[in-house]
Amino acid sequence: MERGCSSLHLLLHHPFFVAAAISLLFSAFPITTAAAAGSGQGLMGVNYGMKGDNLPTPPEVISLCNSRNITKVRLFDPNAAALAALQNSGIRVILGSYNEDLPNFAADPSSAIAWVDANVVPYAAAVNFTYIDIGNEVIPGELAAFVLPAMRNIDAALRSAGISIPVTTTVSTAVLGTSYPPSQGAFTEEASQVMGPIVSFLASTNAPLLANVYPYFAYAGNPDEIRLDYALFNTSDIVVQDGSLGYSNLFDAMVDSVNSAIERLGGAGVRVVVSETGWPSAGGGNASTFDNARVYNNNLIRHVNEKIGTPKCPGNDLEVYTFALFNENLKPEGTERNFGMFYPDMTEVYHVDF
Ligand SMILES: *[C@@H]1O[C@H](CO)[C@@H](O)[C@H](O)[C@H]1NC(C)=O
Ligand SMILES: *[C@@H]1O[C@H](CO)[C@@H](O)[C@H](O)[C@H]1NC(C)=O
Ligand SMILES: *[C@@H]1O[C@H](CO)[C@@H](O)[C@H](O)[C@H]1NC(C)=O
Ligand SMILES: *[C@@H]1O[C@H](CO)[C@@H](O)[C@H](O)[C@H]1NC(C)=O
């Protein structure tokens, strides 16, 4: 049976991937991301997070991206200085919104129109927007019910402005009740109620679902059960055999568990974009080292640039955004301040080839 994988297949991963633990890990973890482009260019995107009081100016950051083969970024919110700097840069942009705006967007089409008029219309001619990202990791949670109506109103506002940009939302792996093996991936019952109609909307508008996927947290929570080389893309061994599909890295397994969950809701044509992934270089236990972060990010980029997709969705160009460009000193202490590939002075934390 042919299954839509412009899209998905299911991977079930490690049983120790306990939903509750993951849910806690991820809900405590703020997010960010970016994306890719054409031939001769790297495919990787980066998250341009700004929770720091010592970061370079947006024009300096965009120059850095251009000098390093970074062709896609994700903005967490519509920062006007960043959008101005991105004009005519050739860099493609996922544009996020503030989660606290969701209830207004959902309740009032005119607030969605005002947001689009302020943050998209003025830049649409000179900024190459990939997706508008409404709601970052709010499912499950008290804002979850606002996500789809907000997406619909933003989508309608874009259409009435004559602008064609897919509208989507970002989920964390906290939406998954089952993630192992990847083929058994499924949303929690609570998340399914919200995700079902969202997946239908994404299918009808040909938009992807954005997902934040962190093998680091899975590994750090279960170092005795998960092989470090499997988490770091540092082995070619098939570590998890899931039916006919073999997995040699945890990242693919996690992405395919999201693919399976989407498929289970009837969304087999909806692809996954990895809006965040990364590995901290410090601030946590013995897994958060410079060496592990360097190996993870370089292997990830090599994997993405190979354009081989995942075992469930082979050949599907996977669009991936690393978290993050900079170490951000206003984030909570610990690993969260140490996901950057660059220090605020734009020197490298470790070398990454994009
Ligand atoms: C937007 O990006 C796509 C993919 O890289 C490219 O084909 C297109 O020409 C770009 N459009 C503009 C206006 O830069
Ligand atoms: C940019 O990425 C592409 C695709 O991986 C690669 O072929 C090229 O060498 C890279 N360029 C630089 C300057 O790193
Ligand atoms: C890292 O710490 C974990 C948990 O304390 C332990 O199980 C593991 O053996 C340690 N690994 C190394 C390489 O020290
Ligand atoms: C990754 O694999 C290479 C080759 O086997 C090895 O030299 C290196 O130590 C590994 N790095 C990590 C961080 O596991």
Side-chain angles (χ1 to χ4, degrees):
M1 268 265 132
E2 212 29 35
R3 280 167 176 229
C5 212
S6 20
S7 9
L8 338 160
H9 215 279
L10 296 183
L11 290 186
L12 303 176
H13 233 273
H14 297 193
F16 42 79
F17 220 178
V18 179
I22 293 297
S23 174
L24 277 176
L25 284 167
F26 281 90
S27 60
F29 187 74
I31 305 165
T32 306
T33 310
S39 69
Q41 292 180 295
L43 288 168
M44 283 298 299
V46 297
N47 280 275
Y48 179 8
M50 300 184 196
K51 293 196 189 315
D53 61 12
N54 53 358
L55 298 178
T57 65
E60 290 170 326
V61 173
I62 301 315
S63 296
L64 175 68
C65 292
N66 275 324
S67 73
R68 295 302 303 267
N69 221 8
I70 295 169
T71 54
K72 302 183 185 182
V73 301
R74 175 173 175 232
L75 294 182
F76 287 93
D77 55 71
N79 181 285
L83 287 167
L86 283 158
Q87 293 181 106
N88 304 309
S89 66
I91 293 174
R92 308 191 73 199
V93 181
I94 296 179
L95 179 60
S97 61
Y98 293 108
N99 288 343
E100 54 264 37
D101 286 342
L102 285 169
N104 282 340
F105 294 162
D108 181 5
S110 69
S111 81
I113 290 169
W115 189 89
V116 166
D117 281 349
N119 301 306
V120 182
V121 171
Y123 305 101
V127 175
N128 206 334
F129 290 111
T130 40
Y131 315 113
I132 304 296
D133 183 15
I134 299 299
N136 186 19
E137 296 195 344
V138 300
I139 304 166
E142 54 187 23
L143 292 175
F146 298 113
V147 173
L148 182 57
M151 287 167 65
R152 286 190 190 285
N153 283 340
I154 294 286
D155 183 63
L158 288 164
R159 285 171 200 273
S160 68
I163 294 171
S164 173
I165 307 170
V167 176
T168 184
T169 189
T170 295
V171 296
S172 77
T173 46
V175 293
L176 297 178
T178 304
S179 58
Y180 181 90
S183 60
Q184 297 305 308
F187 294 116
T188 63
E189 209 176 303
E190 185 188 358
S192 290
Q193 292 176 10
V194 179
M195 292 306 298
I198 288 176
V199 163
S200 300
F201 174 81
L202 296 173
S204 74
T205 56
N206 198 25
L209 178 68
L210 308 191
N212 297 335
V213 172
Y214 283 95
Y216 167 75
F217 290 111
Y219 172 77
N222 302 277
D224 297 334
E225 294 185 74
I226 300 182
R227 280 169 54 172
L228 180 60
D229 59 357
Y230 177 66
L232 292 175
F233 301 87
N234 216 21
T235 180
S236 53
D237 297 353
I238 300 299
V239 175
V240 169
Q241 186 68 44
D242 183 15
S244 61
L245 303 178
Y247 288 86
S248 60
N249 69 77
L250 179 56
F251 174 87
D252 279 353
M254 291 175 76
V255 171
D256 277 351
S257 66
V258 178
N259 280 327
S260 294
I262 293 172
E263 192 173 80
R264 234 168 257 289
L265 290 181
V270 175
R271 74 194 170 93
V272 171
V273 166
V274 178
S275 40
E276 291 178 32
T277 190
W279 197 284
S281 60
N286 57 13
S288 59
T289 66
F290 290 94
D291 207 37
N292 287 348
R294 178 181 54 77
V295 167
Y296 181 82
N297 278 304
N298 282 288
N299 286 344
L300 167 75
I301 292 168
R302 192 172 310 126
H303 181 57
V304 169
N305 284 340
E306 280 174 352
K307 300 190 186 183
I308 53 176
T310 61
K312 183 177 167 64
C313 299
N316 244 25
D317 281 11
L318 189 58
E319 189 176 333
V320 179
Y321 295 74
T322 59
F323 187 88
L325 266 179
F326 298 105
N327 282 341
E328 295 169 64
N329 68 354
L330 298 180
K331 301 198 87 172
E333 272 186 67
T335 55
E336 285 203 41
R337 290 188 186 175
N338 293 286
F339 271 85
M341 294 173 286
F342 295 93
Y343 293 108
D345 68 1
M346 300 201 286
T347 59
E348 295 181 330
V349 177
Y350 45 85
H351 182 70
V352 178
D353 279 312
F354 283 93

